Amino acid sequence: MAVGRWCRRWGWRKSWLLAALLVVLQVTAAEKGPAEGEAGRREPQRRHAYAAMMYMGTPRDYEFYVATRVMLRSLAKIRADADLVVIASVDVPPRWQRQLPAQASIPFHGSFMCCCSPPPAMAAGPRAWHLEDDGRLCLTESSSCGKQEGWGGAPFLKISEVCWKASAFLGSEDGLLWLLLPFNGKEEDGVKVVTVENVRNPYEKQGNFNRRFKLTLNKLYAWSLVEYDRVVMLDSDNIFLRRTDELFQCGQFCAVFINPCIFHTGLFVLQPSMPVFKNMLHELEIGRENPDGADQGFLASYFPDLLDRPMFHPPNNGSKLDGTYRLPLGYQMDASYYYLKLRWSIPCGPNSVITFPSVPWLKPWYWWSWPVLPLGLKWHEQRLNTIGYGAEMPVILIQSLMYMAIMAVTRLVRPSLSKLCYNRRPEKNFAFLHSMLRAVAMWSILAAYTFPFFLIPRTVHPLLGWSLYLLGSAALASAVTNAMLLPALAVLTPWMGIFGALAVMAFPWYSDGVVRALAVFAYAFCCAPFAWAAMVKVVGSLQVLLEREAYFPRLGESPLQQPEFSKLY
């Protein structure tokens, strides 16, 4: 951790600045009086929350983790007036959980981070620091929690109160205690992580069950967030175009019908309630009907009459509604609606949130999502403006250097490859060698165009991803060309075809999606003859090489044992 390294580098002697700052804060709070000081020490409790969930056990855990961070940061950038909550299962790595508060960027009357190494006198006791049942982190020498002499940013610093809210506790690592000390200022940290046990999915034995939905029932924990009046539960594949705080005026349950008959659970509004939460768990135990075995099927069965409920329209006076409502389609605009006209024209409600309820490999955070899917770039624009791509850049640089080295080395060794000894006498198994060589050549070319695709980090920016793919495929194609003495233009024809297809799909001035699809189809139709001609050229080149016997020496013989051997060139 960066803060931990800072503490170890400077030591406790340099922490007197932090100690002085805490003393000044305490004096200021005392001058304000008890009531005003308490207000200065604690952030105001929000009544609403946007919630998302994180769990492990899928091949795409990291991608969904990145997507969740980007979505939360996008909510912060539009200044959503609500808490941000992540319902994380117990097996989510602590490092990921700590990065959520450290990176989430939501404005609030916040805190500054401090790392503290317990003094020897306190570290010896088992109760040097502990978490109280009421949600306070207590750092005292005794088991009671109150106004005692404690420690904070420096050893044995005397402060009047050493209890903080549990949401400020970030864990311990390397002998350091990580916490957030109350500070009457402004900070851009504020995601609340709620750790939960995974809800057991009783529908795993269903014939149509998809294992990637095994833990989606953790979404039911949103009803247990009873400290909030309303919660908007979100999937990580949402893109917010504007503030949607008016959703907190909706009733006990509200959702959008993307499908004409089944509502979508990528975004829904709920009123937390422990009786409802316990009843849902009971319904799971008794095996309530669930068409798909996931959260959507269960909630559709639990709220079967939502289709007959009225449409939600937020009251102008800011009051909250009771009951259940259908949300306008503008709160869950399916990305497929955009691809038809290449613009949004949803007349039902404000165009607020884009969702991507498609197959997993077409989610917007993958680098190949654009220009294949035009909206993929919009998600990456939000990531570029929020958490950036620093985590993937070292891999990108290493792969780029590797591909450039391959191109340089294969170019340098080409003269040596072309000076192989050959046998003038005809081979009896010419047909077998020709078939084998043709198969090796075709598989090598195919590998040159597929292998780089799977090496690129999946969540990089599309411009970086496609650039690296074109560089890698060109490098490996050149290696095949030089190793097997193939015509370079024929081997690189697929490369040029892919580059042209990307340009056709990325063209920004299509009138609608139909014209775009027809343009891509016409380009593929025109490229097909060139691809066929390139393949014929490669096969013909291999046949010429074998007929000359310029590539294979006689099996089991050494060039030094044959007096009739000579060298090309």
Side-chain angles (χ1 to χ4, degrees), residues 329-367:
L329 189 59
Y331 290 109
Q332 279 287 265
M333 300 186 297
D334 191 332
S336 60
Y337 299 157
Y338 178 88
Y339 301 141
L340 183 61
K341 294 186 177 181
L342 297 182
R343 64 180 183 275
W344 290 116
S345 56
I346 305 296
C348 182
N351 295 181
S352 305
V353 185
I354 305 171
T355 187
F356 297 82
S358 57
V359 296
W361 291 107
L362 293 179
K363 294 296 185 181
W365 45 80
Y366 293 118
W367 62 266

Side-chain angles (χ1 to χ4, degrees), residues 126-140 143 145 163-170 177:
R127 296 178 181 269
W129 50 274
H130 61 280
L131 194 64
E132 291 290 317
D133 293 335
D134 61 354
R136 293 180 298 170
L137 179 67
C138 300
L139 309 175
T140 59
S143 59
C145 182
C163 296
W164 291 277
K165 297 295 291 181
S167 60
F169 177 55
L170 302 183
L177 178 65

Side-chain angles (χ1 to χ4, degrees), residues 128-262:
W129 50 274
H130 61 280
L131 194 64
E132 291 290 317
D133 293 335
D134 61 354
R136 293 180 298 170
L137 179 67
C138 300
L139 309 175
T140 59
E141 297 184 20
S142 65
S143 59
S144 61
C145 182
K147 295 182 178 180
Q148 302 179 12
E149 293 184 1
W151 55 277
F156 308 105
L157 172 67
K158 293 183 178 181
I159 55 178
S160 60
E161 186 176 6
V162 290
C163 296
W164 291 277
K165 297 295 291 181
S167 60
F169 177 55
L170 302 183
S172 61
E173 185 174 326
D174 299 330
L176 298 176
L177 178 65
W178 290 80
L179 61 150
L180 292 173
L181 299 178
F183 179 71
N184 188 18
K186 224 174 186 183
E187 186 64 34
E188 292 186 342
D189 301 322
V191 174
K192 179 180 180 181
V193 179
V194 179
T195 304
V196 298
E197 295 284 345
N198 291 323
V199 175
R200 189 185 69 84
N201 194 318
Y203 308 104
E204 295 183 63
K205 304 301 182 181
Q206 287 187 181
N208 63 341
F209 183 75
N210 191 328
R211 293 195 59 82
R212 67 188 179 97
F213 297 137
K214 177 181 178 180
L215 297 178
T216 55
L217 291 176
N218 285 1
K219 196 176 290 186
L220 302 183
Y221 277 109
W223 271 270
S224 68
L225 303 176
V226 292
E227 63 267 35
Y228 300 106
D229 292 344
R230 294 291 190 274
V231 171
V232 176
M233 190 67 202
L234 303 166
D235 283 347
S236 56
D237 57 353
N238 287 304
I239 296 179
F240 282 79
L241 305 179
R242 56 177 291 276
R243 287 182 61 175
T244 58
D245 292 347
E246 68 275 6
L247 289 174
F248 297 119
Q249 297 178 245
C250 204
Q252 279 68 44
F253 184 80
C254 310
V256 179
F257 280 82
I258 294 180
N259 183 296
C261 301
I262 303 175

